Amino acid sequence: MDHRDSEAETERGHVDHNKGYEHMLEEQPLSENEENGKDELTSLSKKEEEEEERRKQLVDLQYGVDDTPPWYTTAVLGLQHFLLMFSGVLAIPLILAGPLCVHSSEALTRLISTIFFVSGLVTLLQCTFGVRLPIVQGGTFSFLLPTFALLDVRGPCIPYNPVNATVVEEREAEEFWHSRMTEIQGVIILASFVQMLLGCTGAIGLLLRFIGPLTIAPTIGLIGLTLFDVAKVHMSTNWAIGFLTFGLITVFSQLLNKVQIPLPGGKRFPIFMLFPIIISIIIVWVLCAILTACNIFTDDPNAYGYAARTDIKNDALVESPWFIFPYPGQWGVPTVTVAGFLGMVAGVMASVIESIGDYYACARLSGSPPPPPHAVNRGIFMEGVGCLLAGLWGTGNGTTSYSENIGAIGLTKVGSRVVVQACAVVLMLVGLFGKLNALFATIPEPIVGGVLAVTFSMVCAVGFSNLQFVDLNSSRNLFILGISLFLGLTVPNYIKETEGAIDTRSEQLNQILTVLLSTNMFVGGAVGMILDNAISGTDEERGIVKWIRAAGDDPSDKRNRYSPIYHLPYVMKWLEEWRWTKRIPISPTFRGFRLRRRKKSSRNNNGDL
């Protein structure tokens, strides 16, 4: 966003002084006296400028990251975020149930409740202590391929018929699927320490030095492009219902977004701007219920349109228990295999790259400056903590950032952190109350598809909006963008469609490369980053100057070093007082690692890593 145009002349001097992208990202150390003097002389003006810039940045938002909407608005918006991610979270245990050999509907219900509860817990931790952006955490498809590979090694499920099974057979079936689950738990727990290590050591933050608009654009853009197929699969179960949902969201969010309903006391409420998704879901859900009651939709499960019925999952609603209490170790003691661990590490790396793109997209849509290295480090570290918790509780999966919820911020113009924290509470409640879990599961599939079509489109558009900073008249930039998109789309498709596409004569290495190269955003982002740094080009041509200027991330301006949006709650006073925290990569006071260079021409030069 061009919220710093008014300070362009001042910032031009900063940029010209710091030639090269790496130098612009480095922080030149100041002596303690210089820092204190500068702070004392300009503290008031800095606060005023910071607040003014923030107001400019949030001009298109109803609520910014640090804003708190009224409690009733927060509750409904939190529910709206929950409905967006519900199908994605629910799909993972349903996909895993077969390979895990889950033997009963009661066991599946507990597995579903577990992943909802853990997703809510990790979302709350990420929003409060992690990257501190309004970003939702949930199960990740990146872990499915190594999970399937590990379960294939263990062999097929044992024969089991729940209709006439004896008590002994039922116990054997339960122990069998528990043993498969505990092995998945073990490798996820071990892989989570790798992710936490990447975050807490600052290794991910160092990677950001090589990331610019030509890396971010294909990475985020490919997230949306790749997920279009997911939306299509859901919508195609009943195109009429899917497009009706899609159309209503479009009308409410784009055509009626200025309409406000009157409230007592002379106030007016922008209902369509804030709740376009949940209003659309309710309208189409009620319509589907009426058409189901009138028997307009076919009752043949194999016929087109059947998925639009609202009574498909009524049995689950009746049979589900009222209360479920997931707890760590509920399936048994986790076990570990080396092959499974290496494969899961590949899933972690793919998830990390995707999450970095999500952080940038979320920051842009929520009116926040791009996340600084310490925030990205902390976000990846917290996702590692989330995978650890998922392994301990036994979801059969890890956690990652959800792109569809980021798209919702662009539609509703609400980037409040509190709203996503409310969504986290809803997730945990659904995990604890089995009836709630089953109720939301009755939302027809084409409605979910219509919602996902809009939100994934927003994610894709946000990714490509980063190209506004790049010189698109440059053949260099067009080449990098085109090659990144081409390889990001074709290589993963080839890997998925071609059996044995990767053969290195090492099963573990095959598994790792297959997971990484079948992830579109990893391939596209990696190609974009390598080419953008390898092919010569000026900072102006690459979009670095405008990107840094628009982000307010000029390192020579002390006011812009650390946005208060990314400050940790409760502890900032002590972090700012303790000098040693400046060396901790996940601390908001982190200044980077410094090395003292050798003397050159009788002068000492200090540089940041």
Side-chain angles (χ1 to χ4, degrees):
M1 300 180 191
D2 294 328
H3 65 283
R4 293 198 175 244
D5 288 343
S6 62
E7 297 182 344
E9 293 300 324
T10 302
E11 291 181 355
R12 189 175 296 114
H14 293 316
V15 174
D16 291 341
H17 176 71
N18 293 280
K19 297 293 184 183
Y21 183 32
E22 282 126 359
H23 293 292
M24 282 191 289
L25 287 175
E26 290 179 355
E27 296 177 6
Q28 302 301 324
L30 298 173
S31 67
E32 186 175 357
N33 291 336
E34 288 175 328
E35 290 180 346
N36 292 338
K38 190 174 181 180
D39 288 341
E40 290 172 359
L41 290 173
T42 62
S43 59
L44 181 59
S45 63
K46 285 179 181 179
K47 290 180 181 179
E48 293 172 348
E49 290 174 357
E50 209 168 56
E51 190 61 31
E52 177 63 23
E53 288 168 0
R54 185 170 179 272
R55 280 195 295 269
K56 291 178 182 178
Q57 199 172 36
L58 300 181
V59 67
D60 197 34
L61 291 175
Q62 288 292 312
Y63 298 100
V65 174
D66 289 328
D67 295 333
T68 303
W71 68 267
Y72 46 87
T73 305
T74 299
V76 178
L77 288 170
L79 179 62
Q80 184 169 251
H81 272 287
F82 166 77
L83 293 175
L84 270 175
M85 69 174 300
F86 179 84
S87 61
V89 177
L90 181 64
I92 289 174
L94 294 179
I95 293 172
L96 289 174
L100 283 172
C101 307
V102 177
H103 72 297
S104 66
S105 59
E106 292 83 4
L108 179 59
T109 300
R110 176 171 285 275
L111 181 60
I112 293 172
S113 294
T114 300
I115 195 169
F116 273 110
F117 179 81
V118 173
S119 296
L121 178 60
V122 178
T123 298
L124 193 60
L125 292 173
Q126 182 69 281
C127 287
T128 308
F129 304 107
V131 73
R132 288 192 49 80
L133 287 170
I135 196 162
V136 177
Q137 303 288 294
T140 170
F141 290 95
S142 301
F143 283 21
L144 290 181
L145 187 58
T147 298
F148 294 154
L150 179 59
L151 294 177
D152 286 343
V153 173
R154 289 182 58 97
C157 300
I158 61 175
Y160 175 74
N161 186 352
V163 177
N164 54 10
T166 64
V167 176
V168 174
E169 290 175 336
E170 184 175 349
R171 186 182 301 113
E172 288 178 350
E174 181 176 310
E175 291 175 352
F176 183 80
W177 92 263
H178 281 188
S179 67
R180 294 168 77 89
M181 169 61 87
T182 52
E183 186 168 348
I184 299 299
Q185 286 181 253
V187 295
I188 289 175
I189 289 172
L190 203 57
S192 71
F193 285 102
V194 175
Q195 192 167 4
M196 286 189 284
L197 190 65
L198 289 174
C200 68
T201 59
I204 293 298
L206 292 175
L207 180 66
L208 297 181
R209 297 182 56 170
F210 304 98
I211 292 178
L214 283 173
T215 302
I216 295 298
T219 300
I220 303 176
L222 283 168
I223 292 174
L225 290 174
T226 305
L227 293 173
F228 284 168
D229 280 341
V230 177
K232 181 200 71 175
V233 169
H234 287 288
M235 287 186 70
S236 63
T237 57
N238 191 308
W239 285 109
I241 296 300
F243 273 115
L244 177 60
T245 307
F246 182 95
L248 286 176
I249 294 175
T250 302
V251 169
F252 292 146
S253 65
Q254 303 302 319
L255 302 180
L256 300 180
N257 58 338
K258 303 297 183 182
V259 176
Q260 299 183 348
I261 62 172
L263 296 177
K267 297 181 179 180
R268 304 184 70 84
F269 188 72
I271 184 170
F272 296 115
M273 176 180 285
L274 295 178
F275 309 123
I277 296 172
I278 196 169
I279 293 174
S280 302
I281 289 176
I282 292 173
I283 291 174
V284 184
W285 197 359
V286 170
L287 176 62
C288 287
I290 294 172
L291 295 178
T292 299
C294 297
N295 209 28
I296 302 298
F297 295 133
T298 179
D299 56 0
D300 180 4
N302 298 318
Y304 169 79
Y306 175 76
R309 296 185 66 93
T310 57
D311 59 356
I312 297 175
K313 301 176 182 177
N314 281 352
D315 291 342
L317 183 60
V318 174
E319 297 174 1
S320 60
W322 280 99
F323 301 103
I324 299 175
F325 299 98
Y327 57 91
Q330 58 187 330
W331 315 121
V333 179
T335 58
V336 179
T337 59
V338 176
F341 164 68
L342 294 175
M344 208 61 75
V345 168
V348 163
M349 294 305 300
S351 176
V352 163
I353 297 298
E354 180 181 350
S355 292
I356 292 177
D358 286 338
Y359 295 163
Y360 277 86
C362 186
R364 185 164 181 76
L365 281 175
S366 61
S368 306
H374 71 80
V376 176
N377 291 338
R378 203 164 55 248
I380 298 302
F381 172 78
M382 194 56 68
E383 288 196 17
V385 173
C387 289
L388 174 63
L389 296 177
L392 292 174
W393 258 264
T395 64
N397 201 256
T399 60
T400 192
S401 304
Y402 266 41
S403 304
E404 50 264 56
N405 293 83
I406 297 172
I409 296 174
L411 289 174
T412 62
K413 309 299 182 184
V414 176
S416 173
R417 183 188 301 117
V418 175
V419 167
V420 174
Q421 290 171 334
C423 171
V425 174
V426 175
L427 281 165
M428 288 190 286
L429 288 176
V430 169
L432 294 174
F433 293 93
K435 294 295 184 184
L436 278 178
N437 195 327
L439 173 64
F440 289 115
T442 63
I443 298 177
E445 189 175 349
I447 295 180
V448 175
V451 173
L452 295 181
V454 178
T455 54
F456 290 158
S457 299
M458 284 295 298
V459 172
C460 182
V462 167
F464 291 123
S465 71
N466 286 276
L467 295 175
Q468 66 181 294
F469 306 115
V470 176
D471 181 7
L472 292 179
N473 292 319
S474 166
S475 60
R476 168 197 182 274
N477 293 342
L478 294 177
F479 174 82
I480 293 173
L481 178 63
I483 294 298
S484 300
L485 293 176
F486 172 75
L487 294 178
L489 289 171
T490 56
V491 170
N493 285 344
Y494 173 76
I495 297 296
K496 294 173 184 176
E497 294 172 359
T498 307
E499 186 176 355
I502 302 223
D503 184 10
T504 63
R505 299 184 180 181
S506 169
E507 185 177 347
Q508 291 84 359
L509 184 57
N510 287 347
Q511 192 178 59
I512 293 173
L513 292 176
T514 299
V515 171
L516 291 178
L517 296 180
S518 61
T519 305
N520 301 74
M521 53 287 286
F522 174 80
V523 175
V527 170
M529 183 180 69
I530 292 170
L531 293 179
D532 190 30
N533 287 277
I535 301 176
S536 62
T538 65
D539 292 330
E540 192 77 41
E541 183 182 17
R542 297 170 61 198
I544 300 300
V545 173
K546 290 182 179 179
W547 196 45
I548 295 243
R549 188 176 294 166
D553 200 28
D554 179 7
S556 62
D557 186 352
K558 189 173 184 294
R559 171 168 46 86
N560 292 325
R561 283 178 177 174
Y562 309 108
S563 170
I565 288 174
Y566 300 103
H567 285 179
L568 287 173
Y570 314 121
V571 297
M572 282 307 301
K573 176 181 177 181
W574 293 279
L575 292 178
E576 290 171 349
E577 290 179 356
W578 296 335
R579 296 178 61 86
W580 56 268
T581 62
K582 298 174 183 178
R583 298 290 183 267
I584 299 178
I586 60 176
S587 171
T589 58
F590 178 58
R591 289 176 175 266
F593 301 110
R594 296 192 181 94
L595 289 179
R596 187 174 298 277
R597 296 176 181 172
R598 293 181 177 180
K599 289 184 178 181
K600 186 179 292 186
S601 299
S602 302
R603 296 173 61 186
N604 285 336
N605 295 318
N606 291 333
D608 291 346
L609 280 179

